[in-house]
Amino acid sequence: MEKYLEIIEVHGREILDSRGNPTVSATVTVKDRESGRCLQGMAAVPSGASTGQFEAVELRDGETRYFGLGVQHAVKNVDEKIASVLVGENALEQIRIDRILRETDGTDNKSNLGANAMLAVSMAVARAAAEALGLPLYRYFGGISPRLLPVPMMNILNGGAHAANTVDVQEFMIMPAGAPSFKEGLRWCAEVFHALSSLLHEKSLTTSVGDEGGFAPELSSDEEAIAMIIEAVERAGYTMEKHFMIALDAASSEWKCTADCFHEDTMATSSGQMLYHLPKTGVDYTTDELVKHWICLVKKYPIASIEDPLDEEDWQGWQKLTMELGDKVQLVGDDLFVTNTNRLQRGIAQGCGNSILIKLNQIGTVSETLDAIRLAQEAGYTAIASHRSGETEDTTIADLAVAMNTGQIKTGAPSRSERVAKYNRLLRIEEELHG
């Protein structure tokens, strides 16, 4: 007889994320028809500060409470519309559950129910099913396949939309590529983080942190930020390339602009190209100029990965950059692909990028997220499990990274508990897998 975990209750609630803004949490209660046992799964969804225009819609109330950011309408959708179609369903049928959610929503971008409402329930169903089977979440997602702990892509210097400073690149990350284990890699990163803190203090620069736990000092340029990270790595007793590589998240969709913000000399040579204006430094680029900028940085510094180096609609620019750097560094599509298989398929066909950032709340269900990872891996692209700037204590992405052997994870600096929770979960998983 096929096991049936009957969903008997679906409940949503409004909670706070790490930025003090409301987000959606859901609890799903299931009953094992064979044993009569009742178990629960609970999940909470994150929220992004720098969001792509093609992401699934995060439903907000737009009312006076929480300055319009409340999620009571999304929670009501969980309690009423979603509960009404899922009660009685088998929690073990994740693909069917997620299809019901999409059909009930009825839109391409999940704007009816809200991706935040749908994802909270989708993740809670998976957690309830894993709990009922006595499996850790990574085993429930990945079966016997999980074997690879991810390399942290640890954001230790923040700029862009994540920090109120003078740096345009959103994230400067370190990757302990030479570490023999996740545990050692995490230690190396934490030591560099503390070395950077001391270095900033010595230079009388602020050691306050941004949304993702990285420092946000006033620096003169992106290159100064890179140089400071290299100095911190060496101060901690490590060597660039042997122990560490650098990764960047430009979040360049934030730089896209219209002709009226451009200087005349650039406009004269920009025909057919996208225009970029870096708001903090005031620098202007055309697509070709920005491509050349990244090529120069990669030649000059030990950079292993660049995320969103070009805008989410600059497909020709992505092609050019991939032809120039695709065999040298990881070119990650976040806003470009938004964890969406349709956009990823277009990127694969056109030779845009070689990696996808995976964010559950960009697409809104667990099964669609897993589909995006599989498609990327089948095409030879890497996949990187990622947090958002507004996080919670939920650790699903840690299990997801191991379940799908993504090999990389972005979940911030080792200085805020909502970030550290993911690292600590990975330490426990490493013990389970490797003793």
Side-chain angles (χ1 to χ4, degrees):
M1 180 179 176
E2 183 180 337
K3 195 171 185 66
Y4 201 104
L5 298 177
E6 182 182 359
I7 297 175
I8 60 173
E9 185 179 10
V10 179
H11 175 62
R13 65 185 60 82
E14 183 182 65
I15 64 171
L16 294 183
D17 69 17
S18 58
R19 294 180 297 165
N21 292 328
T23 189
V24 181
S25 173
T27 300
V28 171
T29 305
V30 300
K31 182 178 181 179
D32 189 327
R33 284 186 176 176
E34 185 178 357
S35 68
R37 280 196 317 152
C38 291
L39 299 121
Q40 289 185 328
M42 186 173 70
V45 300
S47 176
S50 170
T51 57
Q53 66 172 308
F54 300 105
E55 293 190 25
V57 172
E58 180 183 70
L59 193 63
R60 297 283 182 179
D61 295 340
E63 298 166 356
T64 56
R65 57 190 303 278
Y66 286 114
F67 302 101
L69 297 179
V71 292
Q72 286 186 326
H73 293 310
V75 168
K76 185 178 181 182
N77 285 341
V78 171
D79 290 342
E80 297 179 4
K81 294 179 180 178
I82 292 177
S84 68
V85 295
L86 290 191
V87 167
E89 291 291 332
N90 187 354
L92 292 174
E93 296 183 8
Q94 186 76 45
I95 294 174
R96 174 177 166 80
I97 295 293
D98 291 344
R99 185 175 68 249
I100 291 171
L101 288 172
R102 293 195 302 274
E103 290 174 350
T104 303
D105 173 79
T107 67
D108 291 335
N109 62 358
K110 301 177 175 65
S111 57
N112 184 3
L113 296 176
N116 44 353
M118 294 170 65
L119 179 61
V121 173
S122 181
M123 291 186 347
V125 167
R127 284 197 170 275
E131 181 71 19
L133 296 176
L135 292 173
L137 192 59
Y138 67 89
R139 283 289 182 210
Y140 181 69
F141 285 153
I144 64 172
S145 298
R147 63 187 184 281
L148 184 65
L149 271 291
V151 174
M153 301 177 74
M154 191 173 286
N155 173 11
I156 60 172
L157 272 180
N158 287 354
H162 287 175
N165 62 10
T166 54
V167 179
D168 284 298
V169 167
Q170 187 163 278
E171 299 175 15
F172 298 83
M173 295 166 279
I174 51 173
M175 298 177 66
S181 66
F182 175 79
K183 182 178 180 179
E184 280 297 279
L186 185 61
R187 176 177 70 84
W188 291 8
C189 288
E191 289 173 355
V192 171
F193 180 79
H194 290 297
L196 180 59
S197 177
S198 298
L199 183 60
L200 292 171
H201 182 73
E202 289 173 13
K203 295 178 180 290
S204 299
L205 293 169
T206 181
T207 53
S208 61
V209 298
D211 290 343
E212 298 179 0
F215 299 114
E218 294 287 344
L219 301 173
S220 62
S221 67
D222 298 338
E223 291 200 51
E224 185 183 3
I226 294 172
M228 194 162 287
I229 287 176
I230 293 172
E231 186 175 350
V233 167
E234 293 171 350
R235 178 174 291 202
Y238 300 105
T239 304
M240 293 304 303
E241 296 189 74
K242 178 181 178 182
H243 301 112
F244 280 97
M245 296 295 289
I246 288 172
L248 305 175
D249 176 9
S252 64
S253 291
E254 302 282 332
W255 305 343
K256 177 172 60 176
C257 76
T258 54
D260 59 3
C261 70
F262 249 67
H263 53 76
E264 292 182 5
D265 291 344
T266 301
M267 284 302 300
T269 60
S270 65
S271 178
Q273 298 186 52
M274 194 158 282
L275 309 177
Y276 296 87
H277 176 76
L278 280 58
K280 295 183 178 181
T281 57
V283 176
D284 295 333
Y285 291 111
T286 62
T287 293
D288 285 350
E289 288 170 342
L290 191 51
V291 167
K292 290 177 183 177
H293 169 71
W294 297 127
I295 292 172
C296 290
L297 274 187
V298 168
K299 287 180 179 178
K300 192 172 182 180
Y301 298 104
I303 295 170
S305 180
I306 309 174
E307 179 184 330
D308 282 350
L310 295 160
D311 180 70
E312 60 203 345
E313 294 184 285
D314 197 350
W315 293 95
Q316 289 185 343
W318 272 92
Q319 283 181 314
K320 292 178 183 178
L321 186 62
T322 305
M323 285 189 287
E324 292 286 350
L325 291 180
D327 60 345
K328 299 177 180 68
V329 300
Q330 185 172 250
L331 298 172
V332 187
D334 175 17
D335 293 345
L336 181 71
F337 296 138
V338 292
T339 317
N340 184 304
T341 54
N342 292 329
R343 289 186 65 84
L344 177 58
Q345 284 174 330
R346 178 179 175 182
I348 292 168
Q350 295 185 9
C352 296
N354 54 26
S355 180
I356 181 174
L357 200 70
I358 297 295
K359 294 175 176 175
L360 284 148
N361 78 321
Q362 285 183 327
I363 195 64
T365 66
V366 167
S367 59
E368 288 173 286
T369 302
L370 298 178
D371 287 344
I373 296 172
R374 292 190 190 98
L375 177 61
Q377 292 173 337
E378 289 168 3
Y381 279 47
T382 58
I384 305 164
S386 178
H387 63 165
R388 300 305 299 256
S389 55
E391 266 295 336
T392 73
E393 65 278 14
D394 190 290
T395 59
T396 299
I397 64 166
D399 285 77
L400 180 71
V402 177
M404 302 302 290
N405 295 303
T406 65
Q408 298 171 84
I409 189 169
K410 279 183 61 178
T411 188
S415 67
R416 297 176 58 133
S417 60
E418 78 279 0
R419 316 292 157 179
V420 174
K422 281 74 163 172
Y423 293 128
N424 289 342
R425 172 62 183 148
L426 287 166
L427 288 172
R428 292 190 289 272
I429 293 175
E430 185 173 48
E431 286 184 359
E432 293 173 14
L433 288 178
H434 305 304

